[in-house]
Amino acid sequence: MNFSIWRLRIIAAAWILAASAAFSASLSDVESQARTQMAEFAGKVPGLSVAIGQDGKILWSECLGYADLEAKKPVTPRTLFRIGSVSKPMTAAGLMLLVEKGKVDLDADIHRYVPDFPEKGHVITTRQLAGHLAGIRHYKPGEFYMNRHFNNARDGLRIFENDPLLSVPGQKYFYSSYGFNLISAVMEAAAGQDFLPYMQEAVWTPLDLTNTMPDDATRSIPERTHFYVAKAGGGFKLEPDVDNSYKWASGGFLSTPEDLVRFGSAHLQPGFLTSASLKALFTPQKTTDGKPTGYGIGWTIQRDKSGHRIWMHTGGSVGGTTVLMIQPDSGLVLAMTANCTDAPLNKSPTGVILQEFEPLFLAQ
């Protein structure tokens, strides 16, 4: 994980701690504190959008900067950002719905669903893929900036399907976006329809995620932000065009912080998903020698230094940096998006902010 993503996770933690003070302080005070922290990023990213919710209700949502620097088009709550690997928890939700219907067995060989995927000499299961334990590789240099269109999930597997495994499935944790691409092919076979229509019907529409969609390079999407990277001498420049059709399931979605908060809130209690599904998502998997990985099914599982649970995922994409965090003990959900590659947030006084707000954590 790069330094900027790590810093983003820390500042996100600070903001979710700040929002938890709503239990004992007025919401206006929390907003003021969070707005002051947000001002730290003025000029460090082209545009930024943040939302915090509690038990499914949006408590605070605010935007900073520009979606289009040249046109001075401001970021709004409807501005669509690339959410990168935060797409994985969404894919995981769609997967678990198929598990609930008996259409996917997480522990069956994936060749039951994708029989033409090349044999690797070992059984690979969907659960292993979803926990980065299958030995499937991650990106090679240059693949992250791919600008080639793939017509379906199966076609995208051709990028890596003939490469050897990095390890025997189950033995080692290797973060792999391509593993989630293989999951999308499993889901297509199980659902009997293409991956994107399935996600729309099974996840986005039921949860009223009206501003969540594939980052389709072949069509105009008016609310889609421009995508930038910081220049060495200061300022920002546009990133080159990319086509994310090879990785819808692992990093190809657009969304907004408010939609992400609504999505995260659906995981606070059974309803959209069953108790069994939620347990599977948020239970860290283990390697074959019994070592916990800190990753469940599409979610990183952590605890803060006080022992409170944190479920989260970060996302880095071409022209985008995103974090989604759930604090289940308080019912708080935070999402933050920036339209900049590796958003350079490393100069914020995150340690001080974290210490300042930690006493307010779960205060009532």
Side-chain angles (χ1 to χ4, degrees), residues 227-249:
F227 303 105
Y228 299 92
V229 64
K231 296 190 294 186
F236 305 94
K237 63 179 180 181
L238 286 169
E239 283 279 37
D241 292 337
V242 296
D243 188 319
N244 286 322
S245 57
Y246 71 103
K247 60 172 183 180
W248 297 129

Side-chain angles (χ1 to χ4, degrees), residues 46-60:
L48 186 72
S49 185
V50 182
I52 298 172
Q54 185 179 41
D55 297 325
K57 178 183 178 181
I58 301 296
L59 298 177
W60 177 69

